[in-house]
């Protein structure tokens, strides 16, 4: 295990490792113990009581956080004709067809999110092997395969985040920056929590929110008390 810096150990000592804090306390403490010399992301990890090997217990989607993420997302849209014009008007950074397929195949990745109209998925499908491993492949479940490209682009620009449960049942997501007011981060946290609550599979047994932790990009994790989470 890598040795933690003196500064890290100093701020980590402010956290009671045995205690589970309220959402408000956890977020405030995560901000206080941030050691990065930049506006670090505030991240949350929900460990859910699900079995991702079962199709009906795979959780994936996207949500627009009310206060955004503090990060500007670069959007590439695969569309043609009127839909291409709509994407450009909505603020997409790159809009096109086959030319972008070729660019990506040659190693170009100057974008954060890919959106595609359904009729373009035949072309985009050629990029499955390169976009898939990077988590960039458009998907109807996250609203990135759609005819409503205006809505898709505007939501991404407004602070839409994608989430997906890993094999272990953990959902990681950024809920903002350390420069955000604690109240805004709490509101973003609750928005994601509510979405995950509504997505609880009917077949999932036992405790749903097994554990939750809040952390910053380089800071220590803070455990969250889930006893008050409503299901």
């Amino acid at each position: 295990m890598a040795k933690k810096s003196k500064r890290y150990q100093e701020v980590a000592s402010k956290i009671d490792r045995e205690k589970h804090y309220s959402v408000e306390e956890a977020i405030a403490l995560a901000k206080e113990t941030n050691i990065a010399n930049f506006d670090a992301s505030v991240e949350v990890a929900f460990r859910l009581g699900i079995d991702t090997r079962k199709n009906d217990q795979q959780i994936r989607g996207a949500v627009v956080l009310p206060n955004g993420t503090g990060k500007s997302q670069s959007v590439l849209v695969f569309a043609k004709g009127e839909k291409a014009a709509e994407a450009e008007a909505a603020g997409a950074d790159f809009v096109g067809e086959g030319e972008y397929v070729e660019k990506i195949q040659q190693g170009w990745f100057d974008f954060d999110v890919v959106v595609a109209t359904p009729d373009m998925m035949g072309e985009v499908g050629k990029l499955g092997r390169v976009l898939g491993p990077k988590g960039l492949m458009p998907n109807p479940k996250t609203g990135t395969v759609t005819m409503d490209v205006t809505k898709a682009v505007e939501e991404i620009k407004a602070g839409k985040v994608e989430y997906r449960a890993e094999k272990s049942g953990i959902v990681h997501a950024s809920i903002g920056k350390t420069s955000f007011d604690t109240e805004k981060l709490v509101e973003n946290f609750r928005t994601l929590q509510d979405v995950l609550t509504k997505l609880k599979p009917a077949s999932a047994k036992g405790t749903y929110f097994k554990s939750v932790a809040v952390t910053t990009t380089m800071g220590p994790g803070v455990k969250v008390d889930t006893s008050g989470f409503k299901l």
Side-chain angles (χ1 to χ4, degrees):
M1 181 181 291
K3 185 178 180 180
K4 301 296 184 182
S5 69
K6 184 177 180 180
R7 173 62 178 153
Y8 181 97
Q9 294 179 43
E10 180 183 319
V11 297
S13 67
K14 297 180 180 181
I15 302 171
D16 183 343
R17 308 307 300 171
E18 302 303 315
K19 182 177 179 179
H20 289 72
Y21 296 84
S22 69
V23 174
E24 292 78 7
E25 290 174 328
I27 289 175
L29 197 50
K31 288 180 60 177
E32 182 183 345
T33 55
N34 170 49
I35 61 173
N37 58 3
F38 54 86
D39 192 11
S41 293
V42 178
E43 300 166 359
V44 61
F46 291 87
R47 186 165 70 92
L48 306 177
I50 57 176
D51 184 350
T52 56
R53 294 172 298 179
K54 298 179 179 179
N55 289 334
D56 65 337
Q57 294 192 31
Q58 294 177 4
I59 291 179
R60 181 178 185 179
V63 59
V64 178
L65 299 180
N67 301 300
T69 62
K71 178 184 178 182
S72 177
Q73 299 265 68
S74 178
V75 184
L76 163 63
V77 177
F78 284 97
K80 54 189 174 182
E82 291 183 4
K83 291 302 173 181
E86 288 178 20
E88 290 177 351
D93 300 273
F94 310 100
V95 182
E97 303 178 45
E99 70 271 26
Y100 282 106
V101 172
E102 293 179 11
K103 285 189 69 172
I104 292 170
Q105 288 174 331
Q106 293 169 8
W108 178 75
F109 288 99
D110 293 343
F111 51 88
D112 300 302
V113 184
V114 181
V115 174
T117 52
D119 59 314
M120 290 300 300
M121 286 306 293
E123 283 291 304
V124 180
K126 299 174 184 178
L127 301 170
R129 291 185 177 180
V130 288
L131 294 182
K134 294 179 179 291
L136 293 170
M137 193 67 183
N139 189 299
K141 290 184 178 179
T142 60
T144 48
V145 176
T146 177
M147 288 300 288
D148 194 345
V149 292
T150 297
K151 179 182 178 181
V153 173
E154 289 179 347
E155 286 186 342
I156 293 166
K157 292 292 186 179
K160 185 176 184 178
V161 295
E162 294 185 12
Y163 55 83
R164 182 177 187 175
E166 301 173 355
K167 288 183 179 180
S168 57
I170 297 176
V171 173
H172 290 278
S174 172
I175 56 171
K177 297 285 187 177
T178 51
S179 59
F180 283 25
D181 291 339
T182 297
E183 293 76 15
K184 290 185 176 181
L185 290 168
V186 170
E187 189 177 5
N188 281 352
F189 178 103
R190 293 297 190 190
T191 297
L192 179 57
Q193 176 199 334
D194 289 345
V195 168
L196 294 178
T197 297
K198 292 173 183 176
L199 290 175
K200 180 185 178 182
S203 60
K205 305 300 180 183
T207 303
Y208 184 52
F209 288 109
K210 286 195 168 184
S211 66
V212 180
V214 176
T215 186
T216 56
T217 304
M218 297 171 63
V222 185
K223 296 176 182 177
V224 175
D225 181 6
T226 62
S227 61
F229 285 17
K230 294 181 180 180
L231 292 175

